[in-house]
Amino acid sequence: MHALTITGPMNASALTMPGHASAVPATGLQEIAGGLVRVVADVLAPATVSGAAARGEHQVRMQPAVQAESRAGRLAGRQEGRLAVQLMAESLPPYTVTALEPFLSARTVSQHCGSLGSDSIRDVELELEALISNMPVAGQGLEAVVRHVARLDSGRPEVRRVTECLCTLHNHALYWRSMKPGGGGRPKAQLMDAIVASFGSWEAFRDVFLARAANRLWAGWLWLVSDGASVSLMHAMAATSPLLTGRQPLLALDLWELAYHKDYGDDRARYAETFLHSLVDWSHAEHLYSSRR
């Protein structure tokens, strides 16, 4: 499935296909994300998770320590193991599961974070460790690691699998940070100027964004991205990221049913409207836009 880039009002000439990746079914993306979250629960020490939960950063259901002993022992003291845990944790919300109510319920956020898993995720984790072991990514976040891995040979199956996992993690990390309690409104200053320059007006951008999000023929991800000073909308059903095409994602909206169905049923249009009107964190998008130009 191709990634689609959209600029300006919807018409045939507004769609371009800058690249593509093999499509991953909705359940596949959800299993990857859920499995990675469960790996965090397996690896992190109970005291560490409890402290993070107490600060309201995220909530992870801990497995008994005895189940994690061999895994933690294997990863302890190894840079790549610690980095893998950091990257997995970064994909979780930076707020409690109740923070976005009543627009996204605690049930939806909790199940989105970790209700599903995949047995193959453990093999992918080992491949991730092997690929990043010699990379200068210590202390860096998901975005930097995705950019580093994107430079590797994508024809290698292990690189492709790890890239898809990292893109899924980064998409979720950006999705959670694209929202905040008391969000909504409009962007300011430079980002608003860029939106008006690319789409003609704020209203035109809003209409295109909502129409793309509500299109039931599409699932996957919808991003607002920047390429230099210009901005556009990009959509993909694959486990991919605008980072792989050299674009900077500013906002991410998850269009897989797991993200909204328990709260909105089949009414994805209302979910998208709520995201844009009541949840979106434009200050985070503005920071990414100004700092990545």
Side-chain angles (χ1 to χ4, degrees), residues 14-234:
L15 303 180
T16 62
M17 298 183 179
H20 67 276
S22 58
V24 177
T27 52
L29 281 174
Q30 295 159 5
E31 287 175 356
I32 290 171
L36 285 170
V37 170
R38 286 223 290 262
V39 170
V40 177
D42 284 345
V43 176
L44 291 177
T48 302
V49 173
S50 298
R55 294 191 299 273
E57 294 174 359
H58 53 73
Q59 297 182 2
V60 179
R61 178 176 296 178
M62 276 303 303
Q63 302 294 327
V66 65
Q67 295 182 10
E69 182 177 352
S70 61
R71 193 170 193 71
R74 176 169 57 81
L75 296 177
R78 291 166 53 187
Q79 174 183 323
E80 60 269 27
R82 294 195 302 273
L83 180 58
V85 170
Q86 168 200 322
L87 299 180
M88 294 168 194
E90 191 179 330
S91 70
L92 299 173
Y95 35 71
T96 64
V97 295
T98 60
L100 301 180
E101 290 184 329
F103 306 111
L104 281 183
S105 67
R107 181 185 182 191
T108 289
V109 175
S110 296
Q111 294 191 358
H112 194 167
C113 286
S115 65
L116 299 175
S118 171
D119 292 338
S120 63
I121 199 61
R122 300 186 186 278
D123 294 333
V124 177
E125 181 203 3
L126 295 175
E127 292 172 344
L128 168 62
E129 293 170 27
L131 288 175
I132 67 178
S133 61
N134 296 319
M135 291 184 178
V137 293
Q140 300 187 44
L142 267 168
E143 182 177 318
V145 177
V146 172
R147 292 184 186 278
H148 277 286
V149 173
R151 300 188 186 107
L152 300 177
D153 180 8
S154 60
R156 295 164 54 189
E158 68 274 21
V159 173
R160 184 171 61 253
R161 286 191 295 268
V162 168
T163 300
E164 290 175 351
C165 285
L166 287 173
C167 288
T168 297
L169 282 175
H170 183 261
N171 288 338
H172 280 88
L174 181 58
Y175 172 63
W176 298 122
R177 286 154 185 81
S178 294
M179 300 180 287
K180 68 176 181 179
R186 301 183 181 189
K188 301 175 182 178
Q190 293 179 332
L191 181 54
M192 176 59 97
D193 292 342
I195 287 174
V196 171
S198 295
F199 291 87
S201 68
W202 163 258
E203 290 76 16
F205 162 76
R206 179 196 61 204
D207 292 346
V208 174
F209 182 94
L210 294 177
R212 295 295 89 188
N215 189 334
R216 297 295 297 177
L217 297 178
W218 289 357
W221 295 91
L222 179 64
W223 300 276
L224 175 65
V225 304
S226 63
D227 188 358
S230 64
V231 297
S232 60
L233 291 175
M234 182 174 173

